[in-house]
Amino acid sequence: MGRHELPPETGAFFINLDRVPVRRDFMEAQFNHAGLVGATRFGATDAQKPGVVDASGYVAGTGSRWGLTQSEIACFESHRAVWQAVVDQNLQAVAIFEDDVEMSIQAGSVISALMADPDAFDMVKLDYSPKSLRFGPETRIAGVTVRPMLEMAPSAAAYVLSQRACQKLLNWSEKYSDHLDDFVSIPRSDWRMDQCFPAVGVQMIWSKQQNHTVEEVKVSERSLDQKTNSGLDKGPLWFRLRRELVAARRKLYWRVGGQTRLLEQGGYVGFIPCADDLSV
């Protein structure tokens, strides 16, 4: 296992609640396994603290969903705080992790390579997603194999951003009503997002190694708290109908030739492959 230093003027953070130190220990062990030097803990917004999300940018109906639970808002605000820190500290690139990511031994070299060339991307997602998705033709960034992401992915537990991308996300999220996973992977005209192929990380909930991990790591503390995960409002009828129409339009595009053209051009449809030392 090699040791991989972060390039100058870059950073790596894992988001962790103060009251779940076992996850901090888990992530520090994962960075050590991956050989990535210099990753640090970033305190998460705690949904259990009264009033902690009162000043958030969440506004019902301004995004792809109407309502968000208090836990989902806190998750979004945690990531948003990292984006703000990157801009404030004038970091050129950042790797962001949630605190339950099993990492490949290849992750350190992949991350350090990507962050040395922040002008080549907005976002590169590092982790596996538990859903069949569509991707563009294979290409390379700083020697790392990636594929352009063409649709929203249900996971954003590990990703790399340029400083430019952090500023874009901050601007777009002044008001939001999206899951964090959805928000960072919405296809936009001014948003270059790629998926690391193969993935070099996987959340423990999807990993076959979860049975060898303590309960606090393999089960999200956020999902266990009923108080911060209840009262979800799906919105008025007009909003739900509009959302269904948008989804139907996307599906129709792929069914009437979009997917065939994608595959002919070297695209990929399916589950993201993982590095050989990861199992899902």
Side-chain angles (χ1 to χ4, degrees), residues 121-173:
F121 60 87
D122 284 316
M123 178 182 78
V124 179
K125 196 168 86 66
L126 303 170
D127 63 323
Y128 168 84
S129 292
K131 181 181 179 181
S132 178
L133 297 169
R134 299 173 180 88
F135 301 90
E138 185 178 289
T139 185
R140 295 175 79 81
I141 298 176
V144 177
T145 301
V146 301
R147 286 183 180 270
M149 296 172 60
L150 303 180
E151 52 192 343
M152 291 190 299
S155 175
Y159 57 102
V160 175
L161 296 174
S162 65
Q163 181 191 118
R164 176 185 63 254
C166 289
Q167 187 61 66
K168 289 179 184 179
L169 290 172
L170 287 169
N171 293 341
W172 292 333
S173 63

Side-chain angles (χ1 to χ4, degrees), residues 22-224:
V22 67
R23 284 185 169 227
R24 175 178 185 164
D25 296 341
F26 172 80
M27 287 305 296
E28 288 176 346
Q30 291 300 309
F31 284 114
N32 184 59
H33 171 73
L36 186 65
V37 178
T40 57
R41 177 185 176 275
F42 194 97
T45 301
D46 191 343
Q48 289 189 6
K49 291 184 177 179
V52 73
V53 299
D54 290 352
S56 73
Y58 163 62
V59 179
T62 55
S64 59
R65 299 173 186 268
W66 185 271
L68 297 178
T69 66
Q70 189 163 319
S71 178
E72 289 165 347
I73 298 170
C75 177
F76 198 114
E77 291 295 321
S78 296
H79 284 256
R80 198 173 192 278
V82 179
W83 308 336
Q84 187 66 63
V86 173
V87 173
D88 292 345
Q89 297 174 30
N90 197 30
L91 299 178
Q92 298 307 300
V94 64
I96 303 174
F97 295 82
E98 296 190 345
D99 59 0
D100 60 345
V101 180
E102 179 190 357
M103 297 170 65
S104 167
I105 198 171
Q106 302 174 30
S109 60
V110 165
I111 292 165
S112 59
L114 289 171
M115 294 208 297
D117 190 12
D119 291 334
F121 60 87
D122 284 316
M123 178 182 78
V124 179
K125 196 168 86 66
L126 303 170
D127 63 323
Y128 168 84
S129 292
K131 181 181 179 181
S132 178
L133 297 169
R134 299 173 180 88
F135 301 90
E138 185 178 289
T139 185
R140 295 175 79 81
I141 298 176
V144 177
T145 301
V146 301
R147 286 183 180 270
M149 296 172 60
L150 303 180
E151 52 192 343
M152 291 190 299
S155 175
Y159 57 102
V160 175
L161 296 174
S162 65
Q163 181 191 118
R164 176 185 63 254
C166 289
Q167 187 61 66
K168 289 179 184 179
L169 290 172
L170 287 169
N171 293 341
W172 292 333
S173 63
E174 289 182 0
K175 295 181 181 179
Y176 65 85
S177 59
D178 307 87
H179 287 180
L180 184 280
D181 302 343
D182 294 345
F183 185 82
V184 299
S185 60
I186 294 172
R188 301 174 172 97
S189 59
D190 187 27
W191 187 240
R192 178 175 176 180
M193 57 181 184
D194 297 279
Q195 169 68 52
C196 184
F197 248 70
V200 292
V202 58
Q203 280 188 290
M204 288 306 300
I205 190 174
W206 313 117
S207 172
K208 291 181 179 178
Q209 299 301 316
Q210 63 175 271
N211 291 334
H212 306 289
T213 306
V214 296
E215 193 72 16
E216 292 91 337
V217 173
K218 68 182 180 181
V219 178
S220 171
E221 182 275 342
R222 286 187 170 118
S223 66
L224 291 176

